[in-house]
Amino acid sequence: MKSEDIPFVGGPLDGRSLPVLVTATGNPPKVYKVPVPDAGGGPDTVLVYVREPVPDGKAVRLVQKWRYAFVPDGKVRRSVRWPWSKKPGA
């Protein structure tokens, strides 16, 4: 399996780069969940990070660099948005 060092932005992993397994297309997963065990023996806390492109200032180009951004509430919107669908809240 191939892996890449991906930087993390925000949350407890801010500023770190961790090796993440990439898919057959060479992209890391869209959502990366990190389970953190509780020191008191309670339920684990799950940190959720979402993949986003690294801004580099070029308008038109294929994304080749990714980073993970922290989602504080842990909720990831996972729905298909078709161009002809109604906008959320409309």
Side-chain angles (χ1 to χ4, degrees):
M1 298 294 288
K2 185 178 175 184
S3 66
E4 259 183 51
D5 285 339
I6 307 289
F8 285 77
V9 178
L13 297 178
D14 189 25
R16 295 184 186 180
S17 291
L18 298 176
V20 176
L21 294 176
V22 294
T23 62
T25 60
N27 294 327
K30 291 181 181 180
V31 178
Y32 192 77
K33 296 182 181 181
V34 182
V36 179
D38 187 37
D44 293 349
T45 303
V46 178
L47 303 174
V48 179
Y49 287 86
V50 225
R51 182 184 73 184
E52 64 180 23
V54 173
D56 64 352
K58 294 184 180 179
V60 179
R61 95 170 212 161
L62 294 174
V63 175
Q64 294 181 3
K65 293 187 179 185
W66 298 99
R67 69 179 182 188
Y68 281 111
F70 182 62
V71 180
D73 60 357
K75 295 180 183 176
V76 179
R77 186 175 143 194
R78 312 248 305 161
S79 64
V80 177
R81 293 185 300 163
W82 299 103
W84 55 84
S85 300
K86 291 183 180 179
K87 306 287 184 224

